[in-house]
Amino acid sequence: MSEKLLYAANMLASKCWRSQISSEKIQEIVVVKWDEIGDMVTAVHVFEIIKVYAPHARLTLLCKPFVGSLISANPHIDKIVHQTSELPSRADVWVELRGTWETFWLSLWRTKKVRLDRGRVRFLQRGQQPHERITNFRIVEPLVGDLAWSVKPLIIEEADKQTAQSVLIELLGEVNSTKFMVVHPGGRSLLRRWPGSRFAEVVKKIYKKQGLKSVIIGTPDESELIKSIVQDSDGAGVAWITTSTLGVFAAVISRAELFLGNESGPLQIADAMGVKSVALFGPGVKDVFYPQTDESKIIHHILDCNPCDQIHCSRPNNKCIDLIEVTEVLNTFTK
């Protein structure tokens, strides 16, 4: 069934429960965030504000296994689970930041007092989507009211920081500063990916002009792309093709002076860690995942066909991501 139908079902179901409750009456909270890397990063502040409102309640988060290491050290989450069988049998508050049909049906039986969901907010914001951090806050706003919130860096496990230090020493030698750039040329959709040859050209020219070496990062399924960029960079870039946890990934990115990449989870990690970014957008929706860090730059040529499904392109010989020129990217480094 489609995502829109799930949103509609959630919106109707939530009308059967209250959206507010005194914090003293809350003992058990379930938050469902069955989502990807960047989506999780833009929801971290929600866990904190829920616990500020109900500090004595236990918060259980259901998320995909591979994103767990990003929030494993978060002090506002009492328990992280990856299977619905591990969820509490009853919850005073159930929040569907991003759920599934399974969690939808489960919530109908296990929610005692308050149920909040993404569908209601997406309906109210239709055609005018703000940044994803705002959307995530608005989901829980009926419960927490006008409590102030802010974005704080991801909390990284000490072991992940130490592993990241070892990785950087292996790649760059002694690392006593942040004098390197992280480049992530991948993207979940091929339509989000700026050509590898252009990344290589930027990496070479930044190294020549600023002496800033690049660490080209990605997973094994991106290895061919990463190796081709390193090969074409004339020694200005090194490859880090890794299966490390996202905690280590975040720790490496946090050490960088700059981040360059497409719309992706690593871009959101860089933004959350306060790393100045040059973000390249193609078919993505305007504003929703733009980096918020001071001095970050966004390059986004928004065409009439935007947004699209990011699978089928109506102009395959002149894709929106390909409209970004190398000089356009290089100019952001001099501003």
Side-chain angles (χ1 to χ4, degrees), residues 37-170:
I37 299 169
D39 305 282
M40 177 61 79
V41 172
T42 58
V44 170
H45 59 294
V46 171
F47 310 133
E48 179 178 7
I49 201 166
I50 289 175
K51 288 304 289 280
V52 168
Y53 180 75
H56 304 296
R58 186 174 76 153
L59 192 157
T60 300
L61 171 68
L62 173 68
C63 68
K64 293 182 177 180
F66 73 94
V67 300
S69 66
L70 273 179
I71 35 87
S72 59
N74 189 301
H76 309 293
I77 304 171
D78 297 291
K79 186 178 181 181
I80 299 172
V81 302
H82 307 304
Q83 298 180 45
T84 54
S85 60
E86 301 174 276
L87 289 171
S89 59
R90 298 286 280 172
D92 299 297
V93 176
W94 188 291
V95 182
E96 295 261 310
L97 289 180
R98 172 88 70 177
T100 65
W101 280 106
E102 182 183 7
T103 62
F104 167 78
W105 293 113
L106 200 62
S107 71
L108 302 186
W109 298 107
R110 296 193 182 183
T111 304
K112 292 171 64 176
K113 298 169 183 175
V114 171
R115 187 183 187 282
L116 302 168
D117 71 275
R118 187 179 185 85
R120 173 187 60 86
V121 175
R122 285 297 302 269
F123 177 77
L124 294 173
Q125 294 178 169
R126 60 194 184 280
Q128 300 179 18
Q129 287 190 64
H131 196 276
E132 187 68 6
R133 289 172 181 163
I134 295 173
T135 294
N136 283 319
F137 169 72
R138 286 177 176 171
I139 294 170
V140 299
E141 189 175 19
L143 175 68
V144 303
D146 58 358
L147 286 177
W149 60 275
S150 60
V151 177
K152 298 182 178 69
L154 296 171
I155 301 171
I156 307 299
E157 300 274 6
E158 193 60 37
D160 290 339
K161 293 179 183 178
Q162 293 174 4
T163 301
Q165 175 74 0
S166 299
V167 167
L168 291 171
I169 289 173
E170 182 180 344

Side-chain angles (χ1 to χ4, degrees), residues 251-264:
V252 168
I253 291 173
S254 72
R255 298 288 300 275
E257 181 173 301
L258 288 168
F259 178 94
L260 169 65
N262 306 312
E263 179 187 0
S264 64

